[in-house]
Amino acid sequence: MLDLRFVRENPEVVKQNIKNKFQDSKLPLVDEVIALDLESRTAKQEADTLRADRNAISKQIGGLMAQGKKEEAEEMKKKVTASSERLAELEQKETELEEKITTIMMTIPNIIDPTVPIGKDDSENVEIERFGEAVVPDFEVPYHAEIMEKFNGLDLDSARKVAGNGFYYLMGDIARLHSAIISYARDFMIDRGFTYCIPPYMIRSDVVTGVMSFAEMDAMMYKIEGEDLYLIGTSEHSMIGKFIDTINQETSLPQTLTSYSPCFRKEKGAHGIEERGVYRIHQFEKQEMIVVCNPEDSAEWFETLWKNTVDLFRTLDIPVRTIECCSGDLADLKVKSIDVEAWSPRQQKYFEVGSCSNLGDAQARRLKIRVVGEKGKYFAHTLNNTVVAPPRMLIAFLENNLNADGTVSIPKALQPYMGGKTVIQ
């Protein structure tokens, strides 16, 4: 959500940004919101004048009554009544205009960083760097569900009976591996100075609309019937929501948190829920990292966050690469985003396992996350990044640590979390 004053003073900048995101249908919204803003400010000015006049007249009425000039006082009262009626009309108009302005402002996309490549969709994202050697083994790598099933570690049929497609039972060593990865990721982030937190798994609508666009909300969130609650689609929503309507001392920043949570997604409009795998599913678990910081520090934190994910995957012998998201692939609140993709020996290509985003002050403006310090009062910047998100991360782990005999090696870093095991067999 942009500053309305910025839109008013820089309409062409805002329009060009919309064009850069290939959302030309939103171009008329800029002129519309500026016109509504002018109308709102005009109504407010008239209302303020009426209030001042009414207060002055009210004082005169008291004086006239004291002087016994009842007729003149009654005439003044009529003016006050008329003024109050007009004031009520203006206040109602202000409320309606404010709602319209807010709706539009929450639809106009955030200003993207100048370094973001211009492109229509994810096909035009740009590879930045590769980490680790992408090896293609001299044996066939089975589909990930087959690998899990050979260890009696995955039961999709039972899950389908219980909950439908997009759910799963993980069993035995595969379930243990899932939990081990989450625990390792938790400690990895704690060792990097982040505060561990387990957040609420449901959030209210004002938090939902504060952390994401309407389009994302419709595609992702499960609504709790009869209550003002939604199941979280990703734990950063609950984590950023922790700071809603707060005024933070400049000296208390940055706030760096790492959280565990289950996540629930409708996956509406996605490529489809798999029946034979756990790549795109309705329920998964996640270790996340978020930062609330001063605006001048957000670019540096952005670099730190995505490097954390790369470093973690490399400790588990998984080759990865980083991808810069182009303008058309950025969600409306994002200033800049980098995806971390893991190597798939079976597919012989990379696939997304995490996403790092700098949202500037967009979320902070919606949620009223403010900072006070030497520069006065201003909005914070917020960032988020995936540490790991099993079971998707399990796909990368199993494929890259699979041996020719069908066993799976456990990297040294993960062995303490697997009871000392060096291999799953």
Side-chain angles (χ1 to χ4, degrees), residues 60-78:
Q60 292 178 30
I61 291 173
L64 291 170
M65 292 295 288
Q67 297 172 33
K69 300 178 180 180
K70 293 184 179 180
E71 290 185 7
E72 293 182 38
E74 289 301 321
E75 288 299 318
M76 288 290 188
K77 287 181 180 179
K78 290 179 183 179

Side-chain angles (χ1 to χ4, degrees), residues 86-145:
R86 176 57 180 163
L87 187 58
E89 292 175 5
L90 289 169
E91 288 173 344
Q92 178 63 29
K93 184 178 182 180
E94 282 185 73
T95 300
E96 293 173 357
L97 287 170
E98 184 178 339
E99 290 176 355
K100 290 180 181 179
I101 289 169
T102 299
T103 299
I104 294 174
M105 289 300 295
M106 293 180 78
T107 306
I108 294 174
N110 201 359
I111 303 296
I112 62 176
D113 191 270
T115 62
V116 172
I118 305 302
K120 288 186 178 181
D121 53 40
D122 59 4
S123 67
E124 298 187 65
N125 290 345
V126 178
E127 180 178 318
I128 302 173
E129 190 174 359
R130 297 188 179 194
F131 305 85
E133 183 181 358
V135 175
V136 178
D138 57 4
F139 57 88
E140 183 180 352
V141 177
Y143 186 58
H144 69 266

Side-chain angles (χ1 to χ4, degrees), residues 115-343:
T115 62
V116 172
I118 305 302
K120 288 186 178 181
D121 53 40
D122 59 4
S123 67
E124 298 187 65
N125 290 345
V126 178
E127 180 178 318
I128 302 173
E129 190 174 359
R130 297 188 179 194
F131 305 85
E133 183 181 358
V135 175
V136 178
D138 57 4
F139 57 88
E140 183 180 352
V141 177
Y143 186 58
H144 69 266
E146 294 176 30
I147 299 174
M148 294 180 183
E149 286 169 343
K150 284 182 180 179
F151 295 112
N152 294 318
L154 178 66
D155 185 351
L156 293 172
D157 293 334
S158 295
R160 195 174 297 115
K161 294 174 185 176
V162 170
N165 288 337
F167 298 91
Y168 53 87
Y169 284 97
L170 296 182
M171 310 290 291
D173 280 340
I174 297 299
R176 188 177 188 182
L177 179 63
H178 174 284
S179 297
I181 289 170
I182 286 286
S183 296
Y184 172 60
R186 174 201 64 208
D187 291 349
F188 183 92
M189 292 307 301
I190 291 172
D191 289 345
R192 297 213 163 182
F194 282 64
T195 300
Y196 181 54
C197 181
I198 298 176
Y201 303 153
M202 300 181 192
I203 52 178
R204 291 176 173 171
S205 59
D206 58 345
V207 177
V208 176
T209 55
V211 295
M212 67 198 312
S213 67
F214 292 131
E216 289 176 300
M217 176 180 171
D218 181 58
M220 180 189 297
M221 305 297 288
Y222 282 107
K223 176 77 170 64
I224 306 300
E225 187 176 354
E227 297 188 51
D228 181 29
L229 286 172
Y230 291 79
L231 290 172
I232 59 172
T234 176
S235 56
E236 75 257 16
H237 294 164
S238 188
M239 297 297 288
I240 295 296
K242 180 179 186 296
F243 299 92
I244 187 172
D245 200 16
T246 57
I247 299 176
N248 302 272
Q249 293 296 321
E250 199 171 59
T251 53
S252 71
L253 300 181
Q255 293 283 335
T256 59
L257 305 177
T258 184
S259 60
Y260 160 81
S261 76
C263 304
F264 309 90
R265 296 190 183 185
K266 292 192 294 187
E267 293 289 3
K268 182 179 177 181
H271 297 302
I273 299 297
E274 291 185 281
E275 291 190 18
R276 290 301 306 155
V278 293
Y279 181 80
R280 191 177 299 282
I281 45 185
H282 289 308
Q283 170 192 313
F284 60 96
E285 292 176 70
K286 191 179 188 185
Q287 189 71 29
E288 182 72 21
M289 58 182 111
I290 68 107
V291 171
V292 178
C293 66
N294 287 303
E296 60 267 25
D297 297 330
S298 66
E300 183 177 351
W301 272 112
F302 180 75
E303 296 296 311
T304 298
L305 292 190
W306 69 256
K307 287 177 181 176
N308 284 339
T309 301
V310 168
D311 291 347
L312 183 139
F313 271 76
R314 293 302 300 129
T315 64
L316 300 179
D317 298 335
I318 300 173
V320 293
R321 70 173 181 175
T322 49
I323 298 291
E324 174 90 16
C325 296
C326 71
S327 57
D329 192 35
L330 280 180
D332 282 352
L333 269 67
K334 295 181 180 181
V335 172
K336 188 177 176 71
S337 188
I338 284 179
D339 288 343
V340 176
E341 297 187 340
W343 173 248

